Structures are given as structure tokens and as C-alpha cells.
Amino acid sequence: MLKAKILFVGPCESGKTVLANFLTESSDITEYSPTQGVRFESCWPALMKDAHGVVIVFNADIPSHRKEMEMWYSCFVQQQSLQDTQCMLIAHHKPGSGDDKGSLSLSPPLNKLKLVHSNLEDDPEEIRMEFLKYLKSIINSMSESRDREEMSIMT
């Protein structure tokens, strides 16, 4: 059985924990309470080691989050030599914030990445389906890589 290490990263108060809990069916949707995650950059290399994918979560309603996304992409995707297909952007819309999917334009290189809008209040199953598609592509890539490695050992 293959196990994938997927990192959920992004600015504070973007919805990472709520989304991760929802997608892993760990808990019901609850009110916001800050997660004491890994706030120190010195810990990031240990987190990134052997990661198969990165989900960058941001609150599209907060302008500073859009500006920070390039830093998250650079640190967790580019510097780790991950492919763009191993990265997914989630524009998380908090309850009551509306769901403005149309006005989000991203600059290169972020505009090449898979962007999904999430609104757990209005359409929770949409984000679950999109994440499962993303996860399936990660697992397929891992399986192909393992097969290539096995073939190179045998030849």
C-alpha cells in the first residue's frame, strides 16, 4: 500500500486545519480556533522531507494572502523540486464570506497551478471530490515512479 505525504501550507487563518479535518473526516466543521502549527521557518525542512504533494490554502478575501502565495510556492514546491502537478491551490471561503469564484486572477507561476474554490458551507462535496482527484494523481505518480525504479533494478 502506498502512503502519500501531502502538506497543507498557507497563511495564518486561511482554513488549513478546517479543510484538512474535513477532507480526512477527522471532525465536523467547527468555529475557528487558531492551530499552533509549525510557525517557525527553521522547522520547514523537516516537514518538507519526503513530501509527495503540497496544498496551498489561502483566504481569497484577504489581499495579503494572495501576496504570500508566491513565497509558499517557492519554499514548498520549487525549492523541493516538486512538479506543478504535485501542487494544488485552494481558495478557501469562510462561512458567510460569499463565494466569489470569478474575480481571482493569479500571476505566473501560480496561474499554471490547479486552483479550486472551497466553501464548506455551500458545497462541501465539491472540494472533497477535487481533493480526491488530486490525491489520485499523486498516488498514480508515486506508483509509476516505483514501477520505474523496480524496472531499473531488474535491468
Side-chain angles (χ1 to χ4, degrees):
M1 181 170 98
L2 290 175
K3 289 186 179 183
K5 180 177 178 180
I6 308 291
L7 304 179
F8 276 64
V9 301
C12 293
E13 297 188 35
S14 57
K16 299 176 296 290
T17 301
V18 169
L19 277 168
N21 286 341
F22 172 75
L23 292 169
T24 59
E25 300 175 351
S26 296
S27 70
D28 292 330
I29 301 165
T30 59
E31 290 183 26
Y32 175 75
S33 69
T35 305
Q36 190 56 42
V38 183
R39 305 265 187 241
F40 305 104
E41 289 185 39
S42 61
C43 298
W44 290 358
L47 258 179
M48 294 183 267
K49 184 175 173 22
D50 300 326
H52 300 103
V54 175
V55 176
I56 302 173
V57 181
F58 67 102
N59 183 333
D61 302 320
I62 301 175
S64 64
H65 281 199
R66 292 189 201 190
K67 292 179 184 139
E68 282 185 56
M69 286 177 38
E70 285 188 35
M71 182 276 300
W72 292 103
Y73 176 75
S74 174
C75 289
F76 284 87
V77 180
Q78 288 180 320
Q79 290 179 22
Q80 299 308 306
S81 300
L82 294 178
Q83 301 297 312
D84 286 346
T85 56
Q86 293 172 274
C87 182
M88 178 180 184
L89 301 178
I90 298 181
H92 184 61
H93 300 271
K94 292 188 176 182
S97 68
D99 193 0
D100 189 10
K101 293 182 181 182
S103 67
L104 188 60
S105 63
L106 301 172
S107 59
L110 300 175
N111 61 352
K112 300 180 298 185
L113 303 175
K114 169 92 173 149
L115 171 65
V116 177
H117 290 263
S118 77
N119 187 324
L120 299 181
E121 198 173 51
D122 294 344
D123 193 358
E125 289 311 308
E126 181 182 357
I127 188 62
R128 190 185 311 275
M129 296 293 288
E130 291 293 338
F131 181 74
L132 287 174
K133 283 194 273 186
Y134 164 74
L135 188 57
K136 186 176 181 179
S137 74
I138 295 291
I139 296 294
N140 287 341
S141 176
M142 290 170 60
S143 179
E144 289 169 6
S145 177
R146 185 185 64 187
D147 291 349
R148 280 192 302 274
E149 189 176 318
E150 288 173 357
M151 288 303 287
S152 71
I153 291 170
M154 293 189 320
T155 57

